Amino acid sequence: MPHRIPTIYKILGAVVLIPLAVLTVLTIAMKIYLSPEKVRSLIVEQAAKHLHREVRLKNVSLGPVKGVLVEGLEVSEKPDFKAGTFAGMDAFRLRIQWLPLLRKKVVVDEITVSGLMVRVAQSKAGKFNFSDLIEPAPAIPNKAAAPDKKSAPGLALPFDLDMRRASFKGGKIVYQDLSSGDEWLVSELEATAKDFSLAKPFPVLAGLKAEQIKRGSLKAKLSFGGLIDLSHQA
C-alpha cells in the first residue's frame, strides 16, 4: 500500500511561519520608516534568529501605493545552505494602511505570496525536516503568573490585526520519504482567504494537484471552499 502525503496541517504549519515572520518584521520596520536596504537586513537577521537557519533575500522595495515587495526569499535546511534549501518564494507583497499603525493596529489590505516552494523530507526515524520549526518552546520554570481565565480564547498577537485578503499563487511542495523512497509533488497550490480573523470564522478557497512521482503513479486534484475557525487554537 503506497504511503499517503503527510498531514497537510503539519506541512502548512511550517510554510505559514515564513510569511508570518516576514509580516512581523515588516510591521516593525515600517513603524520607524527604515530604508529598503535596512528592511532587507532586518528581515534576514530576524528570520535567521527565530528560525535558526540561514536566510537569503535578493531585494526589498517600498512604496506608499504598491506597499512592500520582498523578492527572492530563501530559507536553508538546518543549519545552513550547505544542507540544502528548505523553502523559498519568488515574491511576497504586503499592502497595509499606515495610520492605524499609530494605534498599534495592523490593517492589511492585501498579502500575496507567489512562487512558494517547500521541500519536506521525512527521515528514516520518522522525523520531518521542519520539526524544529513547530516544536513548542520549553516551559519556563517557576512561572508565578497563572493564566488569565478572562482573556479571550485564540492566538495572541502583540497588535490588533485586520487582514482583508491573503493569497498564495503558484505554490509547490516536494515530499520525500527517505525510508521508503516515496516521493510526492504537490503543485498548483493556490489559496485565497478574505477577512482573516483569529476570533471568528473566515472564508477560504484553495486547490492543489498531488502526484506520486516515485514508487507509484497516483494522481489527484483537490479543491476546497469553506470557513476556517482559528478562535479555539491555544
Side-chain angles (χ1 to χ4, degrees):
M1 181 177 179
H3 287 246
R4 295 179 298 173
I5 299 177
T7 306
I8 193 65
Y9 292 116
K10 292 183 179 179
I11 298 176
L12 295 181
V15 173
V16 169
L17 280 176
I18 300 171
L20 284 181
V22 174
L23 172 62
T24 302
V25 173
L26 289 176
T27 301
I28 297 172
M30 285 185 291
K31 279 186 175 182
I32 53 179
Y33 303 101
L34 293 178
S35 68
E37 180 56 33
K38 288 183 177 179
V39 173
R40 190 191 72 82
S41 299
L42 185 59
I43 291 174
V44 171
E45 177 185 345
Q46 293 298 316
K49 176 181 177 181
H50 291 288
L51 298 176
H52 305 291
R53 300 170 182 231
E54 281 189 336
V55 177
R56 295 192 297 221
L57 179 57
K58 289 183 179 179
N59 183 58
V60 174
S61 58
L62 305 171
V65 176
K66 69 178 181 179
V68 181
L69 177 61
V70 175
E71 298 176 291
L73 177 66
E74 293 181 309
V75 179
S76 75
E77 293 281 4
K78 190 177 181 178
D80 52 40
F81 282 105
K82 293 180 181 179
T85 301
F86 165 66
M89 65 181 73
D90 293 337
F92 173 86
R93 184 184 297 275
L94 170 67
R95 292 178 56 242
I96 72 170
Q97 296 181 17
W98 294 83
L99 291 180
L101 293 176
L102 300 176
R103 304 191 302 271
K104 294 184 178 181
K105 182 175 182 179
V106 180
V107 178
V108 179
D109 287 328
E110 180 183 10
I111 289 181
T112 302
V113 178
S114 58
L116 179 69
M117 186 285 297
V118 179
R119 175 183 173 271
V120 176
Q122 186 176 15
S123 69
K124 294 181 179 180
K127 191 172 184 178
F128 290 101
N129 63 333
F130 60 80
S131 297
D132 61 300
L133 299 177
I134 60 175
E135 289 174 351
I140 301 176
N142 300 324
K143 190 71 174 180
D148 184 1
K149 296 182 179 180
K150 296 182 180 180
S151 60
L155 301 173
L157 292 176
F159 47 79
D160 293 330
L161 177 62
D162 180 1
M163 189 184 305
R164 299 178 178 179
R165 180 182 176 86
S167 63
F168 288 90
K169 298 179 180 179
K172 180 173 69 174
I173 299 174
V174 176
Y175 165 65
Q176 296 174 310
D177 188 329
L178 303 181
S179 177
S180 67
D182 286 352
E183 186 170 339
W184 287 81
L185 173 63
V186 178
S187 59
E188 301 178 22
L189 183 59
E190 311 258 340
T192 301
K194 295 182 179 180
D195 300 322
F196 174 89
S197 174
L198 296 175
K200 61 182 180 180
F202 58 92
V204 173
L205 293 175
L208 59 86
K209 177 182 177 182
E211 180 180 1
Q212 191 179 31
I213 56 180
K214 284 188 178 180
R215 295 179 58 87
S217 58
L218 298 177
K219 296 182 181 180
K221 195 165 186 177
L222 308 174
S223 60
F224 167 84
L227 298 175
I228 289 183
D229 189 354
L230 300 178
S231 62
H232 301 295
Q233 298 298 312

